[in-house]
């Protein structure tokens, strides 16, 4: 079978090196004669896996000692609910910077548990491209926190400058950009993200939360979603997704082997600049995001003639380039080029795009 490059937005392409390593030990983990998915999450063997994963993630992201790393259930949408449950009061409020679909979903869910101040963050600049407000935001100084999505996977919008929210904790959804670039964790009260983009298979959610924000949950918060309960039980109040946690640990070690987040950031810049550079040079494809806010992870683009969309997708698949159809909210195409996508995959996509454009001009 020819090499297939998978541009899916999530679950997404994973490092081949890691998958081969997992495959090799799947039936016999560490000489135990059993698979890692069969052993107790409370066994000394599995506890060593869990502790190593947490330690490696702390190293990769330079997470300060006064932050807890939680491995939780429910995905990003679960955090949309348990965030206000843990950090806000029902009669209180929280600010939500809405810059696209996912930050909007988070704000809508939070309304069930606290009062939400919607702040429209996206706008069209003088060139008619989408940009984002990150300064002089109309924040409420009495809010429990300010929430934003650092990377909008559907619209291909990424925020690189961290807004200054003063004494109000800044909370960020980093599901689709975690470990893709360096971030100063100390500027945030909490960071969170599902694993299925840059970390591993779906089914586990990482929450990085400052210790002083833990222990204030609303009384009716389920124990499984209470950050203090989760922290007190080392993320094992009940059986976690042991395979996803184990796999995440493998990815963390892979990242460390190739040079960590700094090296990965350089690779991601090279990949995204290649793809955006070609789109900008073409009169056949367009991207409508201001270059200052273009996502390095998710690149939406549109064909000049939308009647060719289905043909583009079909021919791309014939050329071993899959999952390029854009999200139903936006349409067009979308190439998700997460950490595991090699530069060769982006080069193959650009070569195909050039060939397709030449055939249909």
């Amino acid at each position: 079978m020819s090499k297939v490059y998978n541009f899916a937005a999530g679950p997404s392409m994973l490092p081949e090196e890691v998958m081969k390593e997992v495959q090799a030990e799947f039936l016999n983990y560490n000489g135990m004669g059993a698979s890692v998915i069969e052993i107790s999450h409370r066994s000394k063997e599995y506890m060593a896996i869990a502790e190593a994963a947490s330690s490696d993630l702390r190293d990769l992201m330079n997470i300060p000692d006064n932050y807890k790393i939680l491995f939780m259930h429910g995905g990003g949408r679960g955090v949309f609910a348990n965030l206000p449950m843990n950090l806000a009061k029902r009669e209180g409020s929280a600010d939500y910077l809405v810059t696209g679909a996912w930050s909007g979903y988070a704000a809508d869910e939070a309304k069930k548990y606290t009062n939400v101040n919607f702040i429209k963050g996206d706008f069209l600049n003088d060139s008619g491209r989408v940009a984002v407000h990150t300064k002089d935001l109309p924040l409420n100084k009495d809010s429990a926190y300010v929430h934003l999505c650092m990377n909008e996977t559907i619209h291909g919008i990424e925020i690189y400058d961290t807004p200054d929210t003063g004494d109000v904790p800044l909370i960020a959804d980093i599901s689709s950009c975690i470990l893709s670039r360096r971030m100063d964790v100390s500027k945030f009260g909490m960071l969170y993200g599902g694993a299925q983009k840059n970390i591993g298979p779906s089914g586990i959610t990482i929450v990085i939360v400052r210790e002083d924000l833990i222990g204030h949950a609303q009384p009716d918060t389920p124990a499984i979603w209470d950050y203090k309960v989760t922290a007190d039980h080392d993320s094992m109040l009940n059986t976690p997704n042991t395979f996803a946690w184990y796999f995440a640990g493998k990815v963390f070690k892979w990242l460390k082997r190739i040079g960590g987040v700094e090296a990965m950031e350089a690779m991601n810049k090279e990949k995204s600049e290649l793809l955006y550079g070609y789109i900008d040079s073409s009169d056949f494809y367009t991207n409508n995001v201001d270059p200052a806010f273009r996502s390095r992870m998710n690149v939406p683009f549109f064909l000049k003639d939308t009647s060719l969309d289905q043909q583009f997708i079909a021919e791309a698949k014939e050329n071993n380039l899959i999952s390029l159809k854009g999200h139903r909210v936006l349409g067009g195409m979308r190439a998700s080029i997460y950490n595991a996508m090699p530069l060769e995959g982006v080069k193959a996509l650009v070569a195909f795009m050039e060939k397709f454009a030449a055939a249909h001009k």
Side-chain angles (χ1 to χ4, degrees), residues 74-82 102 105-106 109 192 225 328:
R77 286 188 182 269
V79 181
F80 293 172
N82 65 45
W102 287 106
Y105 299 150
E109 186 68 16
Y192 70 92
W225 273 0
R328 62 185 182 277

Side-chain angles (χ1 to χ4, degrees), residues 2 21 30 96 126 139 167 194 196 201 219 230 251 262 266 276 316-317 321 333 335:
S2 300
E21 185 178 348
N30 202 27
Y96 277 73
D126 293 339
L139 303 177
D167 294 331
Q196 66 274 14
T230 303
V251 171
E262 183 175 5
Y276 283 120
K317 186 175 182 180
L321 307 169
M333 306 299 154

Side-chain angles (χ1 to χ4, degrees), residues 125-141:
N125 65 15
D126 293 339
S127 302
R129 286 179 162 172
V130 179
V132 174
H133 295 291
T134 59
K135 295 176 181 172
D136 300 320
L137 300 173
L139 303 177
N140 180 354
K141 62 180 178 61

